[in-house]
Amino acid sequence: MAQIDDLPPLREVIAEHGLDARKSLGQNFLLDLNLTSRIARSAGDLSDCTVVEVGPGPGGLTRALLAAGAKKVVAIEKDTRCLPALAQISEHYNGKLEVIEGDALKYNPAELADGPIKIIANLPYNVGTQLLLGWLTTEEWPPFWSSLTLMFQKEVAQRIVAQTGDKAYGRLGVLANWRCHTDILFDLNPKAFTPPPKVTSAVVQLHPREKPLGCPLKALERVTAHAFGQRRKMLRASLKGLKPDAEARIEAAGLKPTARAEEIDVTGFVALAHAFDKD
Ligand code: SAM
């Protein structure tokens, strides 16, 4: 792909603004225009929604989102060195890009836009999972976002989509699949990034389920934390710290106290959350 807009090539932008990548900010910049455009396209029609992007960096994905017709992009970036490059993009796209300088962990994306929101980001690896968990565990459902299209290290992507029987199955898989349909869309070779990370990355997409199983959220978070915190132990041991009568509660959920966390599917965890939510 030759160009997606008339702005300078990303390598020039990085050199001009001295944006040498910082490990502490999880900076691995995606400069391949075919890939940034592919991520933007995979999120579907962007013309009727606000895209919230975390960590635009020099703006490679941001430009692809705008070139793909996003109505508006609100981008949260912690690294102030990136702001002049992002201001140039905003000007080029007639203000369709709004940049917020700060830590994405401190923002609720629901408050950054009126109307439908899609979150699309190449997430910094050090806060990616924490951000995702925040977006997955909102009290209201359906949530404020209609889809999440996110790049993670492949190992994290596999944990998000994992089901019982998968090696990567754990707490993240339960919390994601309880409420969402999850898919890995494609992998990205480390060579696509500057600097190249040590591991392969993958783009994951999540869509809210229309009718997730009713479940006390806090109890589900507690039960999965205990059960997978000691995943080799039987449930009767790993959940004992939650309630003294754990064994009876596991049985009330229709499960065997001798089962281990990795054998329990999402429906089983929902039943456990109900059983452990009672006084
Ligand atoms: N979107 C760019 C791309 O695809 O090339 C950059 C992605 S890079 C993996 C992650 C970006 O997130 C960096 O620009 C980094 O400065 C930014 N970042 C790191 N921690 C952040 C935080 N807590 N809040 C907002 N941005 C953050």
Side-chain angles (χ1 to χ4, degrees):
M1 184 178 286
Q3 244 176 301
I4 56 167
D5 54 33
D6 299 332
L7 287 162
L10 282 164
R11 285 191 194 284
E12 273 180 32
V13 173
I14 289 171
E16 185 192 338
H17 299 281
L19 302 179
D20 52 299
R22 295 200 175 148
K23 214 174 164 184
S24 59
L25 286 166
Q27 291 182 336
N28 299 99
F29 300 132
L30 184 57
L31 307 188
D32 183 325
L33 300 184
N34 287 307
L35 291 172
T36 51
S37 296
R38 188 172 175 195
I39 296 169
R41 277 199 314 272
S42 67
D45 184 8
L46 305 178
S47 64
D48 60 350
C49 66
T50 298
V51 175
V52 173
E53 185 192 2
V54 172
L61 179 57
T62 321
R63 283 163 63 171
L65 295 168
L66 290 160
K71 187 173 89 173
K72 177 153 193 184
V73 177
V74 178
I76 311 168
E77 176 54 64
K78 197 172 175 181
D79 185 352
T80 51
R81 296 177 309 156
C82 300
L83 300 181
L86 295 169
Q88 231 175 353
I89 300 171
S90 183
E91 194 181 314
H92 182 81
Y93 283 96
N94 302 319
K96 283 187 183 175
L97 169 64
E98 182 188 334
V99 181
I100 296 175
E101 177 206 334
D103 180 350
L105 288 170
K106 298 194 176 136
Y107 287 89
N108 177 0
E111 290 164 8
L112 302 179
D114 296 325
I117 292 178
K118 289 182 177 178
I119 303 182
I120 307 174
N122 172 10
L123 290 174
Y125 74 93
N126 42 350
V127 289
T129 313
Q130 199 180 341
L131 285 166
L132 173 63
L133 281 172
W135 301 328
L136 281 175
T137 56
T138 57
E139 286 295 338
E140 335 75 62
W141 206 267
F144 62 86
W145 46 270
S146 61
S147 68
L148 305 175
T149 304
L150 306 171
M151 198 189 309
F152 287 97
Q153 297 170 38
K154 188 172 180 187
E155 173 262 326
V156 177
Q158 286 170 328
R159 282 168 44 211
I160 294 167
V161 303
Q163 313 273 343
T164 31
D166 295 338
K167 231 168 84 187
Y169 184 58
R171 182 168 192 250
L172 193 54
V174 175
L175 293 177
N177 289 290
W178 161 52
R179 282 184 147 178
C180 297
H181 300 283
T182 62
D183 287 298
I184 292 185
L185 301 187
F186 55 92
D187 292 351
L188 292 100
N189 191 293
K191 285 188 208 145
F193 300 88
T194 301
K198 290 202 176 70
V199 292
T200 300
S201 302
V203 176
V204 188
Q205 198 160 62
L206 298 93
H207 289 102
R209 289 186 192 279
E210 276 176 26
K211 289 186 185 161
L213 301 162
C215 182
L217 175 58
K218 293 288 167 224
L220 184 66
E221 290 183 280
R222 274 197 302 273
V223 163
T224 49
H226 275 74
F228 286 108
Q230 305 178 74
R231 58 190 299 144
R232 301 255 165 262
K233 289 197 175 169
M234 294 176 188
L235 291 178
R236 68 178 175 207
S238 60
L239 299 183
K240 203 164 70 184
L242 268 181
K243 298 272 184 190
D245 56 348
E247 194 152 339
R249 288 174 189 262
I250 297 164
E251 278 169 353
L255 299 168
K256 287 192 184 138
T258 52
R260 291 178 167 79
E262 60 207 18
E263 301 167 68
I264 309 299
D265 64 11
V266 171
T267 325
F269 273 107
V270 168
L272 280 174
H274 281 291
F276 278 80
D277 195 41
K278 297 197 177 91
D279 286 332

